[in-house]
Amino acid sequence: ANSGFPKEGIEVLEEIVDKDKRNEDALALLATYYAQLSRLDLAIEKRVALSKLDPWNAANYLELGRLYKATGDFGKMTEVKIKILSFAPETTEGKTAMIELTQ
């Protein structure tokens, strides 16, 4: 995908996730690529799936909160912010969430 073949790269990553629903790296890459392609709905879908596999991944939640903010879903953005602050308030992600995940 980074080599100028985004469609093919995404197809390969989707195949990997189809075969291994627990592949966190593939899910994270898909979410990143979908966000870059302005497919925020699919980026959110992948980040939500990743959060179910790794519920303590503050970096993933921060990206999810940014996606919700970009789509104007401030309710879910706030839920994600509260989630991050519930277990990682003193981390870089927690401090960034306090600043970025506001209306």
Side-chain angles (χ1 to χ4, degrees):
N2 284 337
S3 299
F5 300 96
K7 181 181 177 196
E8 293 84 354
I10 286 174
E11 287 173 1
V12 170
L13 287 168
E14 287 286 3
E15 288 175 18
I16 292 169
V17 171
D18 285 343
K19 291 178 184 173
D20 180 7
K21 304 275 189 236
R22 300 187 57 78
N23 191 318
E24 295 177 28
D25 293 329
L27 282 169
L29 280 172
L30 276 171
T32 299
Y33 289 137
Y34 281 134
Q36 290 173 356
L37 296 171
S38 297
R39 293 298 315 269
L40 302 186
D41 56 328
L42 293 173
I44 288 169
E45 176 185 303
K46 301 307 178 190
R47 294 258 173 227
V48 168
L50 185 55
S51 73
K52 292 176 182 173
L53 295 175
D54 186 1
W56 306 111
N57 186 336
N60 180 57
Y61 282 116
L62 180 58
E63 292 303 320
L64 182 59
R66 288 172 172 154
L67 290 166
Y68 283 136
K69 184 175 184 175
T71 62
D73 193 337
F74 299 113
K76 287 187 180 177
M77 178 199 71
T78 301
E79 288 175 20
V80 169
K81 177 180 171 182
I82 291 168
K83 177 77 170 179
I84 295 169
L85 296 177
S86 74
F87 69 90
E90 298 302 320
T91 64
T92 300
E93 290 84 3
K95 292 173 184 176
T96 302
M98 284 294 296
I99 296 167
E100 289 187 21
L101 302 184
T102 58
Q103 289 181 321

